[in-house]
Amino acid sequence: MTEHRRGGPSLPQERRLQTAIPGPRSQELLARRDAAVARGIAITLPVFVTRAGGGVLVDVDGNSLIDFGSGIAVVNVGNSAEHVVANVREQVGELTHTCFMITPYEGYVAVCEQLARLTPGDHEKRSALFNSGAEAVENAVKISRAATGRQAVVVFDHAYHGRTNLTLALTAKNMPYKHSFGPFAPEIYRMPMAYPFRWPTGPERCGEEAAAEVVTAIDKQLGAENVACLVIEPIQGEGGFVVPGEGFLPRLADYCRSHGIVFVADEVQTGFARTGAWFACEHEGVVPDLVATAKGIAGGLPLAAVTGRAELMDSVHVGGLGGTFGGNPVACAAALGAIRTIEEQGLVGAARRIGEVMLPRLRALQQRFPVVGDVRGRGAMVAVELVEPGTKTPDPAVTQQLAKACHADGLVVLTCGTYGNVLRFLPPLVMPDHLLDEGLAIVERAFAGVAEERAPGLAVEATA
Ligand SMILES: Cc1ncc(COP(=O)(O)O)c(C=O)c1O
């Protein structure tokens, strides 16, 4: 077999296991990693990757794994997508950095123009570019405070907004994110999330009831006139792929509008076609005042943005926003390539179709395996929540077991959730049909295997 030296879409789209996972070369590198890399940086699946593209990752041992993770929802257009590579190559030969705040360049402006065109709402917009999702969210809070002259920030149970000090304060989960890193920033207020599977009166009334609780808590405990912004993920990511109960987001957006509170959508994970719309807010017709983006914006290069109403964005004094690397020219060139790829290849529709294939297959698993408490998601952002059968008690142990079984079988899957009991799937939107099908068959085999281990003889044979 010819060895394919290059990654990107021309990489053979096949699962190929040549060694155990991780293989011997990966294990050698892991030993080097242990001696050189800080222990606090965890690894989900210790295979060292050399090339990637389309729906696969190829490791140093020659294994080709199906990718249901996209580097945590980043390579929506696939690794080393053609327009991304071409734009980066061209840009890197012209100039690599000037700092936009010192001597500007066109690519930065072009990305901001694209963000104004693509984000929800036809009002006049401005953008500022940064390096990471956390930095974008943090700047959205700064802008909201400057624009309103208020301090309080409303966030939600199960939220994840990043690992800087302010965004850790916005993030809900202690371990591993916040533990031992305090003190955290003040004036952050956490509210109930409309989590349909866990809402006490059931999913139907969840959105409406949760919104009413939030509104009452803001009115009674904070005073709306003290609240600068409400920051929310339109579908929660790390917190467990929680799709809020219907009506929750529109009700909160209305409340914010009528009380001068800035509605900030953290679309870092949900953005750039991931959920079958350019932005997840669109599913319920919500138009945020500010949108934080990162991850999928630049096909794998580090770039992030805050985009929003011109009058809010421009309320910050000159020089109040920025950073040395924010909107780096190479990352901007990559973003223009990623956006072009999403549009030319129809990846918004592709994400929708991925959901249409995955959700029924996962719901069929729910019928067969009582450990599956809930199946949810939109587009190519879907998950199963695992519980002790017949209860809603989270089962993080079975979640780990299933993830490990998938990994050993050559499928990259991730876990998440406040209780560590959610198996999440984020395939690149360019995932070929046959690999999507094969990846799902691996998930099905993992469930059958775990069921057999737990109750030998009772497991139903995996179909597909
Ligand atoms: C919703 C959300 N916001 C913010 C962040 C932080 O982004 P970054 O890791 O680029 O700082 C993440 C990362 O997972 C995220 O999912």
mmCIF file of all heavy atoms in Angstrom, residues 72 131-135 137 160-163 233 237-238 266-269 294-295, ligand 1:
data_model
loop_
_atom_site.group_PDB
_atom_site.id
_atom_site.type_symbol
_atom_site.label_atom_id
_atom_site.label_comp_id
_atom_site.label_asym_id
_atom_site.label_seq_id
_atom_site.Cartn_x
_atom_site.Cartn_y
_atom_site.Cartn_z
ATOM 1 N N ILE A 72 -12.663 18.496 19.580
ATOM 2 C CA ILE A 72 -13.710 19.210 20.353
ATOM 3 C C ILE A 72 -14.386 20.284 19.491
ATOM 4 O O ILE A 72 -14.301 21.491 19.756
ATOM 5 C CB ILE A 72 -13.233 19.819 21.697
ATOM 6 C CG1 ILE A 72 -12.190 18.952 22.394
ATOM 7 C CG2 ILE A 72 -14.439 20.035 22.613
ATOM 8 C CD1 ILE A 72 -11.799 19.431 23.797
ATOM 9 N N ASN A 131 -8.037 35.099 20.539
ATOM 10 C CA ASN A 131 -7.320 33.846 20.277
ATOM 11 C C ASN A 131 -8.063 32.590 20.693
ATOM 12 O O ASN A 131 -7.791 31.519 20.187
ATOM 13 C CB ASN A 131 -5.983 33.846 21.039
ATOM 14 C CG ASN A 131 -5.117 35.003 20.628
ATOM 15 O OD1 ASN A 131 -4.669 35.059 19.491
ATOM 16 N ND2 ASN A 131 -4.918 35.948 21.519
ATOM 17 N N SER A 132 -8.951 32.684 21.671
ATOM 18 C CA SER A 132 -9.579 31.480 22.215
ATOM 19 C C SER A 132 -11.012 31.794 22.618
ATOM 20 O O SER A 132 -11.383 32.973 22.767
ATOM 21 C CB SER A 132 -8.824 31.006 23.455
ATOM 22 O OG SER A 132 -9.049 31.928 24.502
ATOM 23 N N GLY A 133 -11.768 30.716 22.812
ATOM 24 C CA GLY A 133 -13.157 30.897 23.220
ATOM 25 C C GLY A 133 -13.262 31.633 24.548
ATOM 26 O O GLY A 133 -14.110 32.513 24.723
ATOM 27 N N ALA A 134 -12.394 31.263 25.495
ATOM 28 C CA ALA A 134 -12.444 31.908 26.814
ATOM 29 C C ALA A 134 -12.209 33.411 26.671
ATOM 30 O O ALA A 134 -12.905 34.231 27.287
ATOM 31 C CB ALA A 134 -11.397 31.294 27.731
ATOM 32 N N GLU A 135 -11.237 33.754 25.841
ATOM 33 C CA GLU A 135 -10.917 35.171 25.666
ATOM 34 C C GLU A 135 -12.117 35.906 25.044
ATOM 35 O O GLU A 135 -12.397 37.067 25.401
ATOM 36 C CB GLU A 135 -9.689 35.278 24.759
ATOM 37 C CG GLU A 135 -8.763 36.405 25.119
ATOM 38 C CD GLU A 135 -7.684 36.616 24.071
ATOM 39 O OE1 GLU A 135 -7.231 35.636 23.452
ATOM 40 O OE2 GLU A 135 -7.319 37.775 23.871
ATOM 41 N N VAL A 137 -15.358 35.077 25.332
ATOM 42 C CA VAL A 137 -16.425 35.208 26.332
ATOM 43 C C VAL A 137 -16.059 36.299 27.342
ATOM 44 O O VAL A 137 -16.891 37.146 27.710
ATOM 45 C CB VAL A 137 -16.678 33.860 27.051
ATOM 46 C CG1 VAL A 137 -17.657 34.035 28.193
ATOM 47 C CG2 VAL A 137 -17.201 32.815 26.057
ATOM 48 N N TYR A 160 -20.283 25.928 30.732
ATOM 49 C CA TYR A 160 -18.827 25.925 30.560
ATOM 50 C C TYR A 160 -18.467 27.086 29.643
ATOM 51 O O TYR A 160 -18.980 27.175 28.519
ATOM 52 C CB TYR A 160 -18.318 24.616 29.935
ATOM 53 C CG TYR A 160 -16.814 24.621 29.797
ATOM 54 C CD1 TYR A 160 -15.993 24.183 30.831
ATOM 55 C CD2 TYR A 160 -16.202 25.111 28.645
ATOM 56 C CE1 TYR A 160 -14.610 24.228 30.729
ATOM 57 C CE2 TYR A 160 -14.815 25.162 28.522
ATOM 58 C CZ TYR A 160 -14.029 24.715 29.570
ATOM 59 O OH TYR A 160 -12.657 24.762 29.467
ATOM 60 N N HIS A 161 -17.584 27.960 30.131
ATOM 61 C CA HIS A 161 -17.214 29.111 29.303
ATOM 62 C C HIS A 161 -15.707 29.295 29.181
ATOM 63 O O HIS A 161 -15.276 30.265 28.558
ATOM 64 C CB HIS A 161 -17.853 30.385 29.865
ATOM 65 C CG HIS A 161 -19.355 30.359 29.826
ATOM 66 N ND1 HIS A 161 -20.069 30.398 28.648
ATOM 67 C CD2 HIS A 161 -20.288 30.262 30.820
ATOM 68 C CE1 HIS A 161 -21.374 30.351 28.910
ATOM 69 N NE2 HIS A 161 -21.535 30.256 30.216
ATOM 70 N N GLY A 162 -14.908 28.411 29.782
ATOM 71 C CA GLY A 162 -13.462 28.518 29.598
ATOM 72 C C GLY A 162 -12.694 28.417 30.895
ATOM 73 O O GLY A 162 -13.261 28.159 31.961
ATOM 74 N N ARG A 163 -11.367 28.625 30.779
ATOM 75 C CA ARG A 163 -10.466 28.353 31.907
ATOM 76 C C ARG A 163 -9.669 29.561 32.377
ATOM 77 O O ARG A 163 -8.720 29.405 33.145
ATOM 78 C CB ARG A 163 -9.481 27.247 31.499
ATOM 79 C CG ARG A 163 -10.126 25.891 31.225
ATOM 80 C CD ARG A 163 -9.026 24.934 30.839
ATOM 81 N NE ARG A 163 -9.473 23.627 30.403
ATOM 82 C CZ ARG A 163 -9.361 22.512 31.131
ATOM 83 N NH1 ARG A 163 -8.867 22.542 32.342
ATOM 84 N NH2 ARG A 163 -9.737 21.354 30.625
ATOM 85 N N GLU A 233 -24.898 29.326 26.698
ATOM 86 C CA GLU A 233 -24.626 28.484 25.528
ATOM 87 C C GLU A 233 -25.995 28.039 24.992
ATOM 88 O O GLU A 233 -26.750 27.416 25.741
ATOM 89 C CB GLU A 233 -23.855 27.234 25.935
ATOM 90 C CG GLU A 233 -22.490 27.481 26.547
ATOM 91 C CD GLU A 233 -22.071 26.324 27.464
ATOM 92 O OE1 GLU A 233 -21.504 25.349 26.978
ATOM 93 O OE2 GLU A 233 -22.334 26.404 28.682
ATOM 94 N N GLY A 237 -22.271 22.678 25.991
ATOM 95 C CA GLY A 237 -21.260 21.750 25.491
ATOM 96 C C GLY A 237 -20.731 20.841 26.586
ATOM 97 O O GLY A 237 -21.285 19.765 26.831
ATOM 98 N N GLU A 238 -19.677 21.281 27.267
ATOM 99 C CA GLU A 238 -19.057 20.455 28.309
ATOM 100 C C GLU A 238 -20.078 20.007 29.360
ATOM 101 O O GLU A 238 -19.935 18.962 29.975
ATOM 102 C CB GLU A 238 -17.944 21.223 29.033
ATOM 103 C CG GLU A 238 -16.816 21.715 28.152
ATOM 104 C CD GLU A 238 -16.030 20.581 27.530
ATOM 105 O OE1 GLU A 238 -15.618 19.672 28.248
ATOM 106 O OE2 GLU A 238 -15.845 20.625 26.305
ATOM 107 N N ASP A 266 -22.956 32.308 23.881
ATOM 108 C CA ASP A 266 -21.657 31.662 23.748
ATOM 109 C C ASP A 266 -21.828 30.543 22.723
ATOM 110 O O ASP A 266 -22.258 29.439 23.051
ATOM 111 C CB ASP A 266 -21.194 31.120 25.107
ATOM 112 C CG ASP A 266 -19.870 30.357 24.995
ATOM 113 O OD1 ASP A 266 -19.436 30.098 23.863
ATOM 114 O OD2 ASP A 266 -19.293 30.022 26.045
ATOM 115 N N GLU A 267 -21.485 30.870 21.473
ATOM 116 C CA GLU A 267 -21.610 29.895 20.371
ATOM 117 C C GLU A 267 -20.241 29.298 20.042
ATOM 118 O O GLU A 267 -20.001 28.881 18.912
ATOM 119 C CB GLU A 267 -22.224 30.572 19.133
ATOM 120 C CG GLU A 267 -23.670 31.007 19.314
ATOM 121 C CD GLU A 267 -24.675 30.102 18.594
ATOM 122 O OE1 GLU A 267 -24.293 28.979 18.191
ATOM 123 O OE2 GLU A 267 -25.833 30.542 18.454
ATOM 124 N N VAL A 268 -19.377 29.266 21.043
ATOM 125 C CA VAL A 268 -18.023 28.751 20.806
ATOM 126 C C VAL A 268 -18.075 27.307 20.301
ATOM 127 O O VAL A 268 -17.398 26.948 19.342
ATOM 128 C CB VAL A 268 -17.174 28.882 22.088
ATOM 129 C CG1 VAL A 268 -15.879 28.086 21.985
ATOM 130 C CG2 VAL A 268 -16.868 30.352 22.364
ATOM 131 N N GLN A 269 -18.903 26.471 20.938
ATOM 132 C CA GLN A 269 -18.969 25.062 20.523
ATOM 133 C C GLN A 269 -20.058 24.827 19.471
ATOM 134 O O GLN A 269 -19.947 23.976 18.605
ATOM 135 C CB GLN A 269 -19.202 24.155 21.744
ATOM 136 C CG GLN A 269 -19.044 22.697 21.419
ATOM 137 C CD GLN A 269 -18.640 21.806 22.592
ATOM 138 O OE1 GLN A 269 -18.776 20.604 22.519
ATOM 139 N NE2 GLN A 269 -18.133 22.350 23.664
ATOM 140 N N ALA A 294 -15.471 30.789 18.401
ATOM 141 C CA ALA A 294 -14.067 30.339 18.370
ATOM 142 C C ALA A 294 -14.069 28.973 17.662
ATOM 143 O O ALA A 294 -14.718 28.856 16.622
ATOM 144 C CB ALA A 294 -13.487 30.245 19.775
ATOM 145 N N LYS A 295 -13.432 27.993 18.231
ATOM 146 C CA LYS A 295 -13.423 26.608 17.740
ATOM 147 C C LYS A 295 -13.530 26.475 16.208
ATOM 148 O O LYS A 295 -12.535 26.511 15.524
ATOM 149 C CB LYS A 295 -14.527 25.807 18.437
ATOM 150 C CG LYS A 295 -14.209 25.513 19.922
ATOM 151 C CD LYS A 295 -15.135 24.478 20.480
ATOM 152 C CE LYS A 295 -14.987 24.216 21.956
ATOM 153 N NZ LYS A 295 -13.889 23.333 22.310
HETATM 154 C C1 LIG B 1 -19.232 26.866 25.052
HETATM 155 C C2 LIG B 1 -17.768 27.111 25.240
HETATM 156 N N1 LIG B 1 -17.346 28.322 25.602
HETATM 157 C C3 LIG B 1 -16.053 28.595 25.776
HETATM 158 C C4 LIG B 1 -15.100 27.625 25.611
HETATM 159 C C5 LIG B 1 -13.646 27.946 25.820
HETATM 160 O O1 LIG B 1 -12.980 27.924 24.589
HETATM 161 P P1 LIG B 1 -11.398 27.802 24.557
HETATM 162 O O2 LIG B 1 -11.051 26.437 25.021
HETATM 163 O O3 LIG B 1 -11.052 28.058 23.107
HETATM 164 O O4 LIG B 1 -10.865 28.875 25.448
HETATM 165 C C6 LIG B 1 -15.491 26.328 25.233
HETATM 166 C C7 LIG B 1 -14.499 25.259 25.067
HETATM 167 O O5 LIG B 1 -14.784 24.089 25.103
HETATM 168 C C8 LIG B 1 -16.869 26.070 25.037
HETATM 169 O O6 LIG B 1 -17.293 24.851 24.691
#
